[in-house]
Amino acid sequence: MLKKRQSISLKWLLLGVLITNTAMSFIWPLNTIYIHETLHKSLVIAASVLFLNQLATMLGSLIGGKLFDSWSPYYSILLGIVLNIFALGGLIFFHAWPAYALLLILSGLANGISVTCENSLATRVGNHRSSYVFNLLYFASNFGLVFGTLTVGYIMPLGIGYVFAIATIIQVLFLVVAVINYNIQFNQTMGDRKQGIKKEKLTPKILGALIMVLICWLIYEQWQSNLSTFMVEKGFKVKNYSFLWTFNAILIVLFQPVVTHFDELLLKHIRGRLNIGILLLLASFALLLLPFKDNYGLYVTSMCLLTLGEILLFPGVASFVDIESPRSLTGYYQGRVQMFSALGKAIGPLFGALIIDNSNYEFLFLICILMALFALVIFSWPVFSKKI
């Protein structure tokens, strides 16, 4: 019988996040290429599958948060991991159409449960502020993505089945880590529970933060989707675009520890941290409106601003919501952070594509700037209101 704990060890939580993001990074870079080139489906269908994957992630976040609070943090995260093992394991043998799409959507549901539980557990790490832990989780997740995306290029020539097999094995390793080290149980007083039930609503402050993060992810997704075709049209090679994401990873590795070092100061000025993050995202798109689009240095500088913005912004939102929410409903509120993030990721590529099809890239960049300003206003406005 595994011993139940009141808090989770930071090292095991970080290892779990590193493992699961490494596994998922074996899959996501291949989705569009595999559906379009191998399964011979249109780019619209490929985009639709990814959209449904993100919607499933949203549903998983909702389920994961509810189960974390009302059932068991331990069994909730194990459920997410087991479902993901089932989905990825199925892809080893069934990666034709439509099984690929269905299993990918199931994986999105499972990942939503797991990530929400991971973020909720981050608030229960002994001897560490949750904001400090969120910063480290963001670092670990990105490090896992870098490792996975670099490795998958060497595995893919062996066959797509090997990619799914390794991703499944990595998830099984995550299951072992979780079974042994994530067996925690929180003692909650009746007063805590009543406080949680009473506050099971999105206050203006939290709602403003959630709408803001949705908008920011929608903007951020333009870099991961539509900027690649923009750069190719300007005469750059795909490898030039790919290097920008390598540069992104390097910057995260270098600067995330700096942000973590100054966590106490940034926590005291959490709103300032998030506002600066939004402004940096805005500035990255403002640069793209300059008349030097054949200069590669412009894109490198823009990516630098984007990366510094995401380092401050995305882990900071989870910290802000944790500060403003009752401890007894950690899963409920962290699940909402993941839901709104997933929604932004889901509609971002389609949103950008529609604007480009009906106008041009420059108009898209201008819209992104205006939306960033709108996010800034939305995030600031609830300060002056106490009730919805």
Side-chain angles (χ1 to χ4, degrees):
M1 186 72 178
L2 293 173
K3 182 181 178 181
K4 294 181 179 179
R5 306 173 177 88
Q6 284 295 309
S7 63
I8 188 171
S9 171
L10 177 58
K11 65 180 180 181
W12 294 118
L13 182 59
L14 291 177
L15 179 60
V17 170
L18 175 66
I19 291 172
T20 191
N21 278 277
T22 299
M24 297 315 298
S25 66
F26 274 67
I27 308 301
W28 71 260
L30 304 175
N31 286 326
T32 300
I33 296 173
Y34 183 74
I35 294 173
H36 183 57
E37 300 293 339
T38 304
L39 299 181
H40 306 295
K41 302 299 176 181
S42 69
L43 288 175
V44 174
I45 292 178
S48 299
V49 171
L50 298 182
F51 179 78
L52 291 173
N53 173 267
Q54 287 298 329
L55 290 183
T57 301
M58 287 181 60
L59 179 60
S61 299
L62 178 65
I63 294 171
K66 188 68 176 178
L67 293 178
F68 186 95
D69 291 329
S70 60
W71 182 37
S72 163
Y74 181 57
Y75 291 113
S76 298
I77 195 168
L78 293 186
L79 173 64
I81 299 170
V82 170
L83 281 176
N84 219 358
I85 291 173
F86 177 80
L88 297 178
L91 285 170
I92 300 173
F93 308 101
F94 306 104
H95 42 261
W97 188 265
Y100 182 88
L102 295 174
L103 289 171
L104 191 66
I105 292 169
L106 177 60
S107 178
L109 176 74
N111 203 43
I113 296 174
S114 297
V115 173
T116 296
C117 290
E118 288 168 355
N119 273 29
S120 300
L121 287 171
T123 66
R124 307 301 175 95
V125 174
N127 303 319
H128 292 289
R129 291 185 302 273
S130 58
S131 57
Y132 175 85
V133 179
F134 283 130
N135 287 328
L136 290 178
L137 290 188
Y138 197 75
F139 175 84
S141 64
N142 279 278
F143 190 81
L145 292 176
V146 172
F147 180 77
T149 52
L150 286 176
T151 307
V152 71
Y154 296 97
I155 300 173
M156 185 60 185
L158 300 176
I160 192 71
Y162 287 96
V163 174
F164 297 135
I166 294 178
T168 303
I169 292 171
I170 294 173
Q171 278 292 320
V172 170
L173 177 61
F174 182 28
L175 179 63
V176 173
V177 171
V179 166
I180 298 174
N181 300 287
Y182 288 16
N183 191 19
I184 63 174
Q185 180 177 345
F186 311 130
N187 289 331
Q188 203 175 104
T189 66
M190 184 60 68
D192 290 336
R193 186 58 193 160
K194 287 181 178 179
Q195 180 192 33
I197 294 172
K198 184 179 179 181
K199 292 188 177 181
E200 197 176 76
K201 294 181 179 179
L202 296 178
T203 64
K205 289 183 180 181
I206 293 180
L207 184 59
L210 294 177
I211 295 174
M212 177 268 288
V213 78
L214 185 157
I215 294 172
C216 289
W217 268 116
L218 186 153
I219 295 170
Y220 186 90
E221 282 298 306
Q222 305 313 312
W223 268 98
Q224 292 192 327
S225 55
N226 297 306
L227 261 293
S228 58
T229 54
F230 175 72
M231 290 184 64
V232 170
E233 285 186 11
K234 296 300 177 182
F236 295 101
K237 298 180 180 179
V238 174
K239 69 177 182 180
N240 297 131
Y241 172 75
S242 298
F243 173 77
L244 291 177
W245 289 107
T246 303
F247 181 59
N248 170 272
I250 293 171
L251 289 177
I252 290 175
V253 170
L254 290 176
F255 285 100
Q256 190 69 57
V258 176
V259 172
T260 303
H261 179 74
F262 291 101
D263 175 68
E264 186 174 357
L265 175 65
L266 292 172
L267 188 61
K268 291 179 181 178
H269 304 282
I270 186 68
R271 281 190 171 273
R273 167 184 176 167
L274 297 178
N275 288 333
I276 292 173
I278 298 170
L279 290 173
L280 286 170
L281 258 65
L282 183 155
S284 72
F285 285 93
L287 275 184
L288 297 177
L289 289 175
L290 295 176
F292 310 112
K293 297 182 179 62
D294 58 344
N295 188 331
Y296 189 61
L298 178 74
Y299 301 93
V300 174
T301 305
S302 183
M303 174 57 80
C304 182
L305 293 172
L306 184 82
T307 305
L308 294 177
E310 71 168 291
I311 290 171
L312 290 172
L313 181 59
F314 295 134
V317 170
S319 299
F320 179 84
V321 170
D322 180 56
I323 293 170
E324 297 293 335
S325 60
R327 190 170 178 80
S328 56
L329 287 172
T330 298
Y332 174 85
Y333 287 100
Q334 291 301 323
R336 266 55 184 180
V337 174
Q338 297 306 315
M339 281 180 62
F340 278 71
S341 298
L343 181 59
K345 295 175 186 178
I347 64 180
L350 182 60
F351 172 84
L354 289 173
I355 291 178
I356 293 167
D357 286 345
N358 291 280
S359 183
N360 54 47
Y361 286 97
E362 285 73 16
F363 186 67
L364 172 63
F365 302 152
L366 178 61
I367 291 296
C368 287
I369 292 170
L370 294 176
M371 291 187 69
L373 288 173
F374 180 67
L376 200 62
V377 172
I378 286 293
F379 181 56
S380 301
W381 173 76
V383 176
F384 306 102
S385 177
K386 293 183 179 179
K387 294 183 179 180
I388 298 179

